[in-house]
């Protein structure tokens, strides 16, 4: 569990860094998993994949709902919602999938549960997505301009990839350094929330996007989370719009992160990453967890990503 200071830092700034959260043995599992999945990836890591490799590629949504009112193909819906189907598909690319997912669903989800609301009855967060972000080494001089432009990630916040209603379901990105990472090899830059005073209740920033799914204390917790993070993200947006180019707030804060450390990020905190100027691959793993399954459209059951409850990962025997 994280401490009260970590929780307050996350709410105040939108992120928190937990140094060397994983052991060498746990890191070895993720590095092995990353390497195996990377070896089975289709296309050029930089030009085709944009440095992002997902263990299981989800199918696009159907253009029109099927007879059951779903916008997902049957096989795709099973992969998104069934641990057995997801693990089967994932294991085709990595022999240590079970060990990697066990780590995500126990230790990492346990840490993240301190930061975003979750159903205390089931004790579970939900796995929304997982991806390896791997930046290749700097190319020879004649290719440096392209490498610089393509391996750097522009400023963004993770919720910006979701429809506005979906953003009302709290999420946390768990960015795990598999190598020592700083500005020289693709390090993160953060734009912390500016302090904008206490967050009062705002009827526009409540649990509207997850209506029908919340009751009692969980509904209150989601409302509080949204009041804090959406309110402070709005303050960030106004700050950026009025900032001059030389403003330190606009430039962000560079992070130097030791391997095995985790940067927990709200879906609303803005961040970017630099190009990898080193001669080695730079690897990070980023599972994303949510309070509940995240839907673009509840009417057609259009899931944003995965909807796998962390507490219900099947008990799979450890490999000898």
């Amino acid at each position: 569990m994280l401490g009260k200071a970590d929780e307050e830092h996350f709410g105040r700034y939108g992120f928190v860094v937990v140094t060397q959260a994983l052991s060498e043995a746990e890191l070895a599992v993720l590095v092995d998993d990353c390497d195996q999945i990377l070896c089975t990836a289709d296309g050029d890591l930089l030009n085709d994949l944009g440095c992002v490799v997902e263990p299981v590629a989800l199918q696009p949504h159907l253009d029109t709902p099927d007879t059951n009112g779903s916008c997902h193909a049957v096989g795709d819906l099973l992969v998104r919602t069934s641990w057995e189907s997801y693990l089967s598909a994932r294991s085709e690319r990595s022999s240590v999938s079970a060990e990697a997912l066990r780590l995500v669903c126990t230790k990492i989800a346990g840490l993240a549960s301190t930061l975003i609301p979750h159903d205390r009855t089931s004790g579970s967060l939900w796995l929304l997505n997982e991806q390896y972000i791997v930046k290749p080494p700097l190319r020879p001089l004649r290719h440096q301009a392209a490498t610089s432009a393509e391996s750097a990630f522009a400023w963004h916040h993770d919720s910006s990839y979701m429809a506005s209603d979906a953003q009302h379901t709290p999420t946390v990105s768990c960015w795990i350094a598999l190598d020592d990472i700083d500005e020289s090899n693709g390090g993160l830059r953060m734009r912390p929330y500016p302090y904008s005073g206490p967050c009062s209740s705002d009827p526009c920033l409540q649990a509207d996007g997850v209506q029908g799914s919340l009751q009692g204390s969980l509904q209150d917790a989601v409302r509080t989370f949204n009041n804090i993070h959406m309110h402070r993200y709005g303050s960030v947006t106004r700050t950026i719009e009025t900032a001059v180019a030389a403003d330190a707030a606009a430039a962000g804060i560079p992070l130097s992160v030791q391997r095995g450390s985790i940067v927990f990020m709200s879906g609303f905190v803005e961040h970017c990453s630099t190009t990898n100027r080193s001669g080695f691959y730079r690897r990070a793993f980023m599972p994303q967890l949510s309070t509940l399954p995240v839907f673009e459209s509840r009417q057609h059951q259009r899931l944003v990503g995965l909807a796998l409850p962390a507490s219900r990962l099947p008990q799979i025997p450890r490999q000898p």
Side-chain angles (χ1 to χ4, degrees):
M1 295 290 288
L2 302 182
K4 186 67 175 176
D6 298 311
E7 185 178 359
E8 290 176 352
H9 192 284
F10 183 78
R12 167 70 175 79
Y13 298 107
F15 73 98
V16 66
V17 181
V18 182
T19 303
Q20 294 180 305
L22 302 185
S23 68
E24 285 297 323
E26 291 166 338
L27 264 176
V29 169
L30 294 182
V31 168
D32 188 6
D33 188 53
C34 175
D35 290 346
Q36 290 189 50
I37 290 171
L38 192 60
C39 285
T40 60
D42 292 327
D44 181 78
L45 176 61
L46 186 64
N47 296 318
D48 298 324
L49 303 176
C51 303
V52 175
V53 183
E54 296 182 340
V56 178
L58 301 177
Q59 298 178 30
H61 295 129
L62 301 177
D63 292 333
T64 56
D66 61 18
T67 55
N68 297 317
S70 173
C71 285
H72 299 282
V74 174
D76 180 61
L77 186 61
L78 280 173
V79 168
R80 290 174 186 258
T81 59
S82 162
W83 272 120
E84 288 77 9
S85 296
Y86 184 74
L87 186 57
S88 175
R90 198 185 191 287
S91 296
E92 292 178 5
R93 300 186 64 185
S94 169
S95 63
V96 294
S97 283
E99 289 83 352
L101 288 171
R102 185 182 294 113
L103 179 58
V104 170
C105 293
T106 53
K107 186 168 187 175
I108 296 169
L111 293 171
S113 66
T114 305
L115 304 175
I116 66 171
H118 61 284
D119 185 349
R120 298 190 181 278
T121 301
S122 66
S124 185
L125 292 175
W126 294 71
L127 181 61
L128 171 64
N129 182 50
E130 54 168 347
Q131 57 186 230
Y132 284 99
I133 308 169
V134 183
K135 298 193 176 190
L138 189 66
R139 293 182 175 182
L141 185 61
R142 65 182 180 276
H143 298 303
Q144 281 187 14
T147 302
S148 178
E150 294 169 12
S151 71
F153 282 43
W155 287 105
H156 66 283
H157 60 95
D158 292 336
S159 290
S160 65
Y161 298 106
M162 301 190 297
S164 57
D165 283 349
Q167 295 181 25
H168 288 261
T169 302
T171 63
V172 59
S173 298
C174 313
W175 189 95
I176 304 167
L178 304 186
D179 303 291
D180 292 336
I181 300 176
D182 58 25
E183 288 273 278
S184 69
N185 66 342
L188 285 175
R189 278 182 169 263
M190 309 296 300
R191 279 180 178 145
Y193 299 153
Y195 184 66
S196 51
C199 299
S200 58
S201 179
D202 183 339
C204 295
L205 302 179
Q206 296 185 2
D208 300 336
V210 285
Q211 70 270 24
S213 299
L214 303 179
Q215 295 181 351
S217 60
L218 182 57
Q219 184 180 48
D220 293 338
V222 168
R223 181 181 295 113
T224 298
F225 183 94
N226 287 344
N227 281 333
I228 291 172
H229 290 271
M230 287 184 169
H231 171 77
R232 289 185 173 150
Y233 167 69
S235 298
V236 172
T237 303
R238 289 190 293 273
T239 299
I240 294 167
E241 288 172 350
T242 58
V244 295
D247 193 327
I253 298 173
L255 298 183
S256 294
V257 184
Q258 293 177 285
R259 63 191 304 269
S261 301
I262 306 177
V263 183
F264 291 99
M265 297 182 284
S266 158
F268 293 99
V269 68
E270 291 208 332
H271 55 283
C272 69
S273 63
T274 62
T275 188
N276 179 11
R277 299 191 303 274
S278 77
F280 304 93
Y281 281 87
R282 173 281 226 188
R283 300 164 296 183
F285 176 50
M286 193 178 78
Q288 293 172 287
L289 300 162
S290 58
T291 296
L292 290 167
V294 183
F295 291 93
E296 287 183 9
S297 166
R298 285 194 167 275
Q299 180 182 2
H300 300 308
Q301 296 295 291
R302 188 193 294 267
L303 287 163
V304 169
L306 304 172
L308 297 166
S311 64
R312 298 179 202 164
L313 177 70
Q315 294 297 315
I316 303 165
R318 296 180 184 271
Q319 290 190 348

